[in-house]
Amino acid sequence: MTATVHGTAEVELAIGGMTCASCAARVEKKLNRMDGVEATVNYATEKAKISYRDDEVSVRDLIATVEATGYTAAEPPPPRTRAEPGDGGAGSQDELRPLRQRLITAVALSVPVVAMAMVPALQIEYWQWLSLTLAAPVVTYAAWPFHRAALTNARHGAATMDTLVSVGTSAAFLWSVWALFFGTAGEPGMTHGFEPTIARTDGAGNIYLEAAAGVTAFILAGRYFEARSKRRAGAALKALMELGAKDVTVLRAGGEQQVPVAELAVGDRFLVRPGEKIATDGTVVEGSSAVDASMLTGESVPVEVSIGDTVTGATLNAGGRLVVEARRVGGDTQLARMAKLVEDAQNGKAAAQRLADRISAVFVPVVIVLAMGTLGFWLGSGAGWTAAFTAAVAVLIIACPCALGLATPTALMVGTGRGAQLGILIKGPEVLENTRRADTIVLDKTGTVTTGRMALLGIRTAAGTDETEALRLAGALEHASEHPIAQAVATGAAERVGALPAPEDFANVPGLGVQGVVAGHAVLVGRERLLAEWAIALPAELEEAKEQAEAEGRTAIVVAWDGEARAVLAVADAVKPTSAEAVRRLQGLGLTPILLTGDNRAVAEAVASEVGIERVIAEVMPEDKVDVVRRLQEEGRTVAMVGDGVNDAAALAQADLGLAMGTGTDAAIEAGDLTLVRGDLRAAADAIRLSRRTLGTIKGNLFWAFAYNVAALPLAAAGLLNPMIAGAAMAFSSVFVVGNSLRLRRFRPAD
């Protein structure tokens, strides 16, 4: 998609063929070298957001530059506003199918190869030829993505982890083929002995098929789990677009007609029944109701709407029948604009450079140069081709990143597995660094700090009025209403007094409350204005109770029967019992909590005071939430955000670390980096602790894996590395990395 303003155009390109974060950096660097071009390439979303001078550069030039760098580029199709028939997500599954097939092939064939090489009892006659037969498909078919990426990098004078994997596995395999056909390794009865000595060898009887096959399987496993995580990067947009209604009842030609939402036009009038989603942004032309807009605005109390009021698409009609005239459709709706906010925030977030790729950026070229230098040195010293090539291949094999490749995925798998047991879902390794740096945590109110549901929190009765009687009569009348506040009163009353009687002559008074007869009493429940219409005044004690409830951010409901005001009920979104403890734990991790909400300030400050938060930012719309997070980042803070609603999705994507409550909407969950399945805010503190522990484990793994290579390379270059010692050392390095990662299974939540 493109946009042009005063000679400066913007375009978003879908980039294909990237295999690591360094690929994204290479494409970005090439694009930014063009005159009048500013580009940001996101490896996670596989998109390039480009600003360019349209009088100097065309989109075709941009695509050509990307293709000349060795990758593909195309303008992505426009986002759909609704799910297409038959779109069950199979397409995204198909993207992983080739990689999954290669992984299955590699694991199935490499396990017996590694077993035969390491267990002498399995080395039957001609076992080495069986190993060659099994290893060949692994090194060719299964490892083809590495070879293809290495060739692409070589054409552009670059080297990544793919280069080292390709060169190392190819060298190990080709040397093994040479040793089998032209050396002594192919002789009947050949076995791999094990001598714990450092000695020079000509290598003619050594094969390295287990290294070639095993490394391929290990690295493919890491790539597969990374790809599965990365595939979810764009799911937030899909979740947002699918949140809205799919079909709508349009009033045309004097009748009702069911049509897809995509066919709605501005000016169309459509019907919204109780319990249905409002199809698009519009104005109410008939009826009145309560609309639950919490998923978009964060407002916990349903909003009363009547003729002339505006309503937003994807919000829920919680009360009566409405007829709405469409004012905005398609990409102009608030929902579509929020989807664009999420996309912009995701594209603006720099893709975290993989730690292993940072190391390989320097390590790979050094190893290749060292291997070539080793070959030249031994040839120059007269050692002969066999000894020289053996030493050079030993350098590549000992440097082959088995432990480096395991360092991130094993720690991530164990850490995420343990997290899942505790109700914490970590989306990928790129989010872990931000947990360490985070110093500020922004907490959404509704559904995060609070339950997100209205509840009866208190009652104050007039003198001489029995509290149980007031609850029984009010609860019985409210039980007949569908309004969320009425249901909160009915539920709270039933919990306190038991079974409720059935009302008679029930009537709903739009925007004011309900009235009817309960157990022979004429009962009114609702706003003070409802009582005023019946000339019933509040006594001083109930007026004081009403004002106090409203000062605390609660909704005050007045109860009257038989011509007198008898009680005031306080209803509000209740604070979760664990929220105060969760805030204390977050502060203990060095984080400064900020309460951010679309609710009114009185409600927000009351909640903040209850849980121990000092700073409150209230009455903000979704666009403002993104701006608040951005402003905090501009102040130099690293911001974590916890939220659960669609209104939080864009801010979660903008934040350095997004934590989504699993009890919230799909859009929020997909936009977050971490998902807290339990809906308990204490899990946020546990999630940050676990993420920091996992990151520390990854860094420890990378250090020891790299240290192993540094220590072993000089021995290999000197021609002193016995192949079995090399294999054992490589295995030990891998076992150490796995064992270190398994320590994460002992992680315990604070409680």
Side-chain angles (χ1 to χ4, degrees):
M1 52 189 168
T2 59
T4 307
V5 180
H6 302 305
T8 300
E10 289 187 356
V11 65
E12 189 175 76
L13 300 179
I15 309 297
M18 296 190 297
T19 60
C20 60
S22 57
C23 296
R26 190 173 308 120
V27 175
E28 185 174 304
K29 185 177 180 181
K30 290 286 188 181
L31 287 171
N32 284 323
R33 283 181 177 175
M34 300 175 68
D35 292 335
V37 174
E38 291 184 8
T40 301
V41 180
N42 191 316
Y43 171 56
T45 59
E46 297 184 336
K47 289 181 180 179
K49 190 172 183 180
I50 306 169
S51 175
Y52 64 98
R53 297 279 304 178
D54 59 349
D55 56 344
E56 299 179 13
V57 181
S58 68
V59 174
R60 184 172 297 178
D61 295 332
L62 297 171
I63 292 175
T65 298
V66 175
E67 291 176 343
T69 312
Y71 306 91
T72 62
E75 290 192 64
R80 296 172 297 174
T81 56
R82 67 184 188 94
E84 297 295 340
D87 182 13
S92 60
Q93 290 288 346
D94 290 341
E95 294 173 9
L96 288 180
R97 184 178 297 169
L99 183 57
R100 184 167 55 249
Q101 290 173 341
R102 294 180 195 275
L103 173 60
I104 293 172
T105 300
V107 171
L109 298 181
S110 63
V111 168
V113 173
V114 174
M116 285 188 289
M118 295 300 182
V119 182
L122 299 178
Q123 295 174 5
I124 59 176
E125 192 171 12
Y126 296 115
W127 70 272
Q128 67 273 42
W129 294 99
L130 177 59
S131 293
L132 176 64
T133 304
L134 295 173
V138 177
V139 178
T140 53
Y141 164 72
W144 173 242
F146 305 124
H147 303 321
R148 181 178 56 205
L151 291 172
T152 299
N153 291 328
R155 284 200 300 268
H156 298 89
T160 65
M161 186 71 82
D162 290 320
T163 305
L164 199 54
V165 173
S166 177
V167 172
T169 55
S170 297
F173 181 76
L174 293 175
W175 179 259
S176 300
V177 170
W178 182 90
L180 285 169
F181 282 95
F182 303 105
T184 60
E187 296 176 357
M190 187 278 282
T191 59
H192 263 175
F194 182 84
E195 297 178 5
T197 59
I198 296 178
R200 191 166 297 155
T201 173
D202 67 1
N206 299 327
I207 60 175
Y208 303 94
L209 294 172
E210 77 283 358
V215 167
T216 299
F218 279 132
I219 305 299
L220 273 176
R223 284 288 168 85
Y224 175 74
F225 290 112
E226 177 187 37
R228 233 179 29 162
S229 173
K230 185 165 68 71
R231 187 189 63 189
R232 297 169 62 97
L237 298 177
K238 182 179 178 183
L240 273 174
M241 299 312 293
E242 292 186 350
L243 182 74
K246 304 299 184 291
D247 298 298
V248 59
T249 303
V250 182
L251 303 179
R252 290 176 180 168
E256 298 180 2
Q257 183 180 350
Q258 193 88 356
V259 300
V261 169
E263 296 181 12
L264 262 183
V266 173
D268 280 345
R269 294 192 173 192
F270 58 92
L271 176 65
V272 189
R273 298 181 179 88
E276 291 183 345
K277 289 180 179 178
I278 297 173
T280 193
D281 299 357
T283 303
V284 177
V285 293
E286 285 183 32
S288 61
S289 180
V291 173
D292 181 359
S294 60
M295 72 279 290
L296 289 178
T297 66
E299 179 71 43
S300 56
V301 179
V303 179
E304 300 285 350
V305 298
S306 57
I307 296 174
D309 292 333
T310 59
V311 290
T312 306
T315 56
L316 184 68
N317 179 15
R321 177 184 183 274
L322 294 175
V323 175
V324 180
E325 184 173 314
R327 294 299 184 194
R328 288 196 294 260
V329 297
D332 294 330
T333 64
Q334 184 174 347
L335 183 65
R337 292 200 302 270
M338 289 180 66
K340 184 66 169 63
L341 280 173
V342 174
E343 186 171 28
D344 289 345
Q346 284 186 338
N347 286 336
K349 185 190 293 186
Q353 187 83 354
R354 291 296 297 257
L355 293 176
D357 280 325
R358 291 179 187 171
I359 295 173
S360 67
V362 176
F363 185 59
V364 173
V366 168
V367 168
I368 293 175
V369 169
L370 182 59
M372 294 175 63
T374 300
L375 179 66
F377 173 80
W378 287 112
L379 285 176
S381 64
W385 274 100
T386 300
F389 197 66
T390 299
V393 170
V395 169
L396 290 173
I397 290 173
I398 202 66
C400 208
C402 183
L404 277 175
L406 282 172
T408 296
T410 54
L412 186 65
M413 281 188 285
V414 177
T416 54
R418 180 59 183 148
Q421 293 176 336
L422 302 175
I424 302 164
L425 304 181
I426 303 172
K427 283 197 174 175
E430 66 278 357
V431 309
L432 299 178
E433 285 186 278
N434 292 328
T435 65
R436 177 177 56 86
R437 297 198 304 266
D439 52 30
T440 301
I441 186 160
V442 176
L443 304 176
D444 170 59
K445 181 187 75 67
T446 306
T448 302
V449 177
T450 66
T451 62
R453 298 184 303 275
M454 304 302 290
L456 177 61
L457 300 183
I459 178 173
R460 176 84 172 270
T461 58
T465 301
D466 180 61
E467 183 176 304
T468 300
E469 180 72 357
L471 287 173
R472 190 173 70 90
L473 296 178
L477 197 58
E478 294 281 50
H479 186 66
S481 172
E482 296 177 346
H483 197 288
I485 292 180
Q487 288 299 306
V489 172
T491 301
E495 289 175 351
R496 301 187 193 193
V497 304
L500 301 173
E504 302 172 11
D505 298 329
F506 171 84
N508 179 52
V509 183
L512 295 181
V514 293
Q515 62 189 43
V517 177
V518 181
H521 299 283
V523 184
L524 301 173
V525 182
R527 298 174 184 248
E528 187 177 1
R529 281 172 49 204
L530 177 62
L531 273 65
E533 290 188 359
W534 289 81
I536 300 175
L538 285 183
E541 55 191 322
L542 293 187
E543 183 67 38
E544 180 185 346
K546 172 180 169 293
E547 292 175 356
Q548 181 180 350
E550 291 174 344
E552 294 173 352
R554 299 176 177 181
T555 300
I557 301 169
V558 183
V559 183
W561 66 84
D562 297 340
E564 292 186 27
R566 310 278 186 162
V568 170
L569 307 178
V571 175
D573 183 7
V575 173
K576 293 179 181 177
T578 58
S579 292
E581 174 63 22
V583 169
R584 286 194 292 272
R585 292 184 187 179
L586 291 169
Q587 291 170 330
L589 291 171
L591 298 167
T592 301
I594 297 174
L595 189 67
L596 179 65
T597 180
D599 224 333
N600 68 69
R601 178 161 292 278
V603 173
E605 290 183 345
V607 171
S609 174
E610 187 172 343
V611 299
I613 297 176
E614 295 182 1
R615 184 173 176 184
V616 176
I617 304 175
E619 300 175 5
V620 293
M621 295 300 290
E623 297 85 350
D624 299 322
K625 288 191 175 186
V626 176
D627 291 339
V628 167
V629 172
R630 194 177 288 122
R631 284 198 302 271
L632 290 171
Q633 292 169 328
E634 289 171 354
E635 293 173 7
R637 299 171 185 252
T638 301
V639 180
M641 164 102 185
V642 187
D644 76 322
V646 178
N647 62 306
D648 305 315
L652 286 169
Q654 175 65 37
D656 299 288
L657 178 69
L659 296 92
M661 305 296 281
T663 51
T665 64
D666 289 343
I669 292 170
E670 297 298 348
D673 301 309
L674 297 167
T675 300
L676 312 177
V677 176
R678 288 182 287 159
D680 184 342
L681 190 56
R682 289 179 300 179
D686 292 332
I688 291 174
R689 286 178 51 241
L690 176 60
S691 297
R692 289 177 176 178
R693 184 83 57 84
T694 304
L695 176 65
T697 301
I698 290 174
K699 288 188 171 183
N701 286 349
L702 289 171
F703 170 79
W704 288 109
F706 185 63
Y708 150 79
N709 282 309
V710 170
L713 277 174
L715 294 177
L720 298 173
L721 205 58
N722 182 292
M724 282 294 97
I725 291 182
M730 186 179 293
F732 173 77
S733 177
S734 300
V735 168
F736 176 85
V737 164
V738 173
N740 191 41
S741 299
L742 288 175
R743 293 169 58 240
L744 288 168
R745 295 170 63 182
R746 299 202 297 266
F747 178 86
R748 295 287 183 272
D751 55 348

